Amino acid sequence: EIEEMVSTGGRKKFFSPTNPLHQALLRGVAAHHAGLPTNYLRAVERLFRMKRLSVVISTETLAMGINMPTKTSIFAGDSNFLNAMNYRQMAGRAGRRGFDLRGQIVFMGIRRDKIKRLQNSELPTLSGNLLMTSTVGA
């Protein structure tokens, strides 16, 4: 069933019953980070959209550009990469529009002062130097 969800374009089969990550997919658990194979990540994203996954363990890569809203976002363990911008992106996944009135955020293994700083920080102002005119891109 999982093999049908990911087209391999005639290459070797995607699903391997001996791979622990593939076995976890069958149980509704997945991992998502940039170091995983593209076919596996596509399968995770597709299974998530089909509501076949109960748990997705991920890095901040999931927060950037992929529409995978959740009921709850859990921040487990501290990281130098966990800053206000990444926190807002990842926490913003909690609470599915049209399904949940609000989302839940859970912190584990992060100091209380850092949690307060993440929640109360101002986001940096983003600016660019690209002049937008009707001739740009023409």
Side-chain angles (χ1 to χ4, degrees), residues 34 36 44 52 55-56 58 67 73 80 100 102 104 108 110:
L36 291 169
V44 168
R52 296 278 183 88
V55 176
V56 178
S58 70
N67 183 21
S73 291
N80 292 334
D100 304 318
R102 60 183 78 181
Q104 298 179 43
M108 295 172 42
I110 301 175

Side-chain angles (χ1 to χ4, degrees), residues 39-93:
N39 281 345
Y40 176 81
L41 295 177
R42 282 189 199 136
V44 168
E45 292 163 19
R46 189 171 221 184
L47 288 166
F48 187 88
R49 283 192 299 273
M50 296 171 70
K51 299 180 180 164
R52 296 278 183 88
L53 298 177
S54 301
V55 176
V56 178
I57 302 160
S58 70
T59 60
E60 70 274 359
T61 58
L62 184 63
M64 304 299 173
I66 298 172
N67 183 21
M68 290 180 67
T70 64
K71 288 181 182 181
T72 305
S73 291
I74 301 173
F75 294 86
D78 201 354
S79 166
N80 292 334
F81 300 108
L82 183 56
N83 57 30
M85 180 80 80
N86 284 335
Y87 165 73
R88 296 274 173 92
Q89 282 287 335
M90 292 185 277
R93 300 292 178 204

